Amino acid sequence: MSNDASSTAAPRRGRLIVVSGPTASGKSTLWRRLVQLPGVDFSVSATTRPPRPGEVDGRDYHFMDDAEFQRHVDAGDFLEWAEVHGHRYGTLKSEVEKGRAKGHDVVLEIDVQGAKQLRDLGLPMVSVFVEAPSEEELRRRLLARGTESPEEVERRLARVRSEMAEAGHYDFVVVNDDVDEMVRKVEEFLGYEPGRGVPSHDSGEVGA
Ligand code: 5GP
């Protein structure tokens, strides 16, 4: 690599910031806070799961049927994709490139299988795992959310243990005891000034 720190001609290319964690761990709270920061974008995933009440196509997910998802698979449009809870979810290369081309960091909220695929590809990325609280607390949060049936809640809880076993593969693990504290710790880990996002003086190449 011929990157000379004294000749910062190369425009900054944003980093991939992977956020994973078991269901209802608080990972969506985290990424929603991160993408409010200047210079931090969200990669809207594609999914075959039907929208939940209040979810908006193109904002929360690109909702699509199996055939359309498969067309994107065949066309090689996905950076990674995986089946989660019986539905397919994938990161579109175009989503990630849009932000990175602007020099923005791009947050991917993806499951542990997707994160593993990106690691195996050797893509430059920073990964954050939001650890679940106790199973009881998780069950309480899921039932309070009221968007899944009790059977679905139990199915999701069953996955939590295997997902937690993946935490050790992530660069940073955080527990969501207190939302502000969690966000502060992650901002610090990412090298952001609190509430300020991507440092404006950071013009060097970050990742490839
Ligand atoms: P939910 O249906 O609750 O929105 O998401 C279910 C799971 O799918 C979560 O663990 C979430 O991280 C994961 N997920 C969302 N988008 C993607 C994606 O693009 N790729 C992968 N591999 N997982 C995703």
Side-chain angles (χ1 to χ4, degrees):
M1 192 161 161
S2 62
N3 235 358
D4 176 1
S6 62
S7 67
T8 48
R12 182 185 193 280
R13 302 254 304 145
R15 296 174 292 183
L16 298 189
I17 299 177
V18 170
V19 176
S20 302
T23 187
S25 58
K27 64 178 187 288
S28 3
T29 311
L30 173 64
W31 73 252
R32 278 179 215 283
R33 288 278 293 268
L34 290 178
V35 302
Q36 281 170 20
L37 298 170
V40 186
D41 292 356
F42 180 58
S43 160
V44 180
S45 292
T47 185
T48 60
R49 158 169 89 58
R52 296 193 185 116
E55 285 185 331
V56 176
D57 186 33
R59 184 193 70 185
D60 298 288
Y61 281 107
H62 297 292
F63 294 102
M64 55 186 68
D65 60 19
D66 268 314
E68 188 179 353
F69 196 99
Q70 188 58 45
R71 273 198 298 279
H72 284 296
V73 173
D74 295 340
D77 293 339
F78 287 118
L79 204 53
E80 61 74 35
W81 68 270
E83 193 169 315
V84 187
H85 309 306
H87 297 290
R88 292 198 284 176
Y89 295 80
T91 303
L92 291 161
K93 293 175 182 168
S94 54
E95 281 287 324
V96 170
E97 270 318 304
K98 214 165 47 188
R100 291 190 74 208
K102 286 185 278 183
H104 292 183
D105 285 351
V106 181
V107 175
L108 282 64
E109 195 249 282
I110 62 178
D111 85 318
V112 294
Q113 307 172 74
K116 181 172 186 318
Q117 288 178 42
L118 296 187
R119 271 199 307 275
D120 290 349
L121 282 173
L123 287 176
M125 63 187 228
V126 186
S127 58
V128 177
F129 190 90
V130 184
E131 233 173 29
S134 70
E135 191 163 326
E136 261 327 292
E137 171 63 12
L138 261 188
R139 181 177 287 109
R140 197 191 60 72
R141 285 187 198 174
L142 276 174
L143 291 172
R145 188 159 86 179
T147 49
E148 279 90 16
S149 66
E151 296 74 38
E152 178 64 22
V153 166
E154 291 309 317
R155 217 176 14 248
R156 284 180 176 236
L157 284 173
R159 273 181 63 93
V160 169
R161 257 176 246 118
S162 60
E163 287 174 336
M164 291 289 280
E166 290 288 313
H169 297 296
Y170 285 71
D171 300 319
F172 191 65
V173 180
V174 71
V175 186
N176 177 24
D177 286 334
D178 175 272
V179 171
D180 289 330
E181 187 60 10
M182 166 178 70
V183 174
R184 193 195 59 73
K185 283 182 190 160
V186 173
E187 284 182 346
E188 189 180 78
F189 168 71
L190 293 172
Y192 297 163
E193 292 162 39
R196 301 279 298 276
V198 176
S200 51
H201 59 267
D202 184 357
S203 57
E205 178 92 358
V206 180

